[in-house]
Amino acid sequence: MDYRIEKDSMGEIKVPADKLWGAQTQRSFENFKIGTEKIPAAMVTVFAYLKKAAALTNKELGVVDADRADAIVAACDEILAGKLDGNFPLAVWMTGSGTQFNMNVNEVVANRAKQILKAQGKELNVHPNDHVNHSQSSNDTFPTGLHMAGVLLIERRLFPAMDALYDALH
């Protein structure tokens, strides 16, 4: 398997070259090999909506420049379209307030946004914390994401199942 070297405050770590996540995700992936349950796809979806909304708001407020914000939005749209599946490997069994998953999404979005900008001929760094996570906290995003996932699942699964039951009984 091919690897690239990512760096964070703890040093260097090998990350699979074909993945968009970074050092923090890799450390969580290696250190929390507990159970088989992964973060549900609904959480990935709602986090893409959260990161997209934050990027649009941060662009409007002028705290993240338009090039970076637009690339973040494009990366989030790719997540929503299912184009970046396979980049969210973390177990539900993690410590803290969902920070590891929040950073997984931040890293994937940042790395994909950099690729998008590079394809446009723009050599801009997109940082997972400074740009993608700007004005956010895991203590906010994870509880919000859980509520949003509940609404998403009610609308996409429960309501159609109730309609099917009604039709069957009718």
Side-chain angles (χ1 to χ4, degrees):
M1 178 179 280
D2 290 332
Y3 292 92
R4 69 180 190 281
I5 301 297
E6 289 279 335
K7 297 176 186 175
D8 64 6
S9 62
M10 296 181 69
E12 295 183 345
I13 190 166
K14 289 181 178 180
V15 176
D18 65 332
K19 301 300 181 188
L20 290 168
W21 67 70
Q24 290 188 48
T25 300
Q26 188 66 36
R27 289 187 200 288
S28 179
F29 183 65
E30 291 178 9
N31 292 326
F32 291 92
K33 293 186 177 186
I34 302 167
T36 58
E37 303 85 1
K38 300 296 180 194
I39 295 288
M43 284 298 284
V44 174
T45 297
V46 298
F47 262 68
Y49 283 121
L50 283 170
K51 300 301 173 180
K52 180 178 179 176
L56 291 169
T57 302
N58 287 330
K59 175 183 170 182
E60 184 179 325
L61 294 173
V63 294
V64 174
D65 65 275
D67 286 336
R68 286 182 178 93
D70 291 345
I72 290 167
V73 167
C76 291
D77 286 341
E78 289 185 9
I79 292 171
L80 294 170
K83 294 180 180 178
L84 302 183
D85 291 351
N87 282 287
F88 306 98
L90 300 184
V92 297
W93 311 110
M94 65 178 86
T95 63
S97 59
T99 300
Q100 295 161 2
F101 175 66
N102 186 45
M103 283 308 301
N104 178 202
V105 176
N106 291 338
E107 289 173 341
V108 169
V109 170
N111 284 325
R112 181 62 187 127
K114 282 187 257 187
Q115 291 175 344
I116 291 166
L117 288 166
K118 188 172 185 174
Q120 298 170 353
K122 299 172 184 170
E123 293 290 334
L124 292 172
N125 183 40
V126 181
H127 194 277
N129 283 323
D130 297 341
H131 301 114
V132 180
N133 201 56
H134 191 84
S135 303
Q136 300 168 63
S137 161
S138 298
N139 289 325
D140 299 322
T141 58
F142 207 80
T144 299
L146 287 172
H147 289 101
M148 290 174 64
V151 171
L152 183 78
L153 293 172
I154 288 170
E155 289 179 350
R156 292 186 180 173
R157 292 191 183 168
L158 180 61
F159 288 166
M162 290 172 62
D163 289 341
L165 177 62
Y166 174 83
D167 291 342
L169 293 174
H170 191 267

